[in-house]
Amino acid sequence: QVQLVESGGGLVQAGGSLSLSCAASGSIFSINAMGWFRQAPGKGREFVAGIMWNSGRTYYADSVKGRFTISRDNAKNTVYLQMNSLKAMDTAVYYCASTRSAILIRPGSYDYWGQGTQVTVSS
């Protein structure tokens, strides 16, 4: 099993920045990729960004390209999401997740999920 713990959410004004962290523990060897998803009230879980654990190759949803950056520190078993130029539409609970799959955009591809952290952007 893999345990994931997110941190770093909060309240920020539109145009501001926040950084999220996701620390992984447990069966790290089983992780092929990590992803960040978000879920706004009344909406489904939406892919935000993903990163391949070994190669570091990254993928982004069109809605966050150029504003968000995903990165990882394999020595710390931690994945980060740097969010800049935040908009009210970015308000959601953000989740990190791990997968053995190479299909990053589908929530169903992920094996383990963190508890989520709230990001609220005021306009």
Side-chain angles (χ1 to χ4, degrees), residues 88-120:
M89 60 169 282
D90 296 317
T91 295
V93 177
Y94 283 70
Y95 299 88
C96 72
S98 68
T99 180
R100 293 166 293 176
S101 170
I103 302 172
L104 300 190
I105 64 172
R106 289 173 46 195
S109 296
Y110 288 77
D111 307 299
Y112 299 100
W113 293 82
Q115 80 284 359
T117 185
Q118 177 70 46
V119 171
T120 303

Side-chain angles (χ1 to χ4, degrees), residues 10-93:
L11 173 65
V12 65
Q13 287 189 333
S17 298
L18 276 177
S19 180
L20 305 182
S21 299
C22 175
S25 61
S27 301
I28 303 296
F29 62 87
S30 68
I31 297 175
N32 187 48
M34 297 283 291
W36 284 99
F37 287 76
R38 66 187 181 188
Q39 189 165 16
K43 296 189 176 182
R45 199 160 289 191
E46 173 191 23
F47 173 77
V48 175
I51 187 166
M52 304 305 291
W53 191 253
N54 289 324
S55 71
R57 185 172 181 177
T58 58
Y59 304 84
Y60 296 95
D62 287 343
S63 59
V64 306
K65 277 181 184 175
R67 300 189 299 122
F68 291 12
T69 302
I70 187 171
S71 61
R72 90 260 191 257
D73 183 336
N74 286 20
K76 295 182 178 180
N77 295 329
T78 299
V79 173
Y80 305 95
L81 186 68
Q82 177 64 40
M83 305 184 292
N84 298 329
S85 302
L86 282 161
K87 306 175 182 180
M89 60 169 282
D90 296 317
T91 295
V93 177

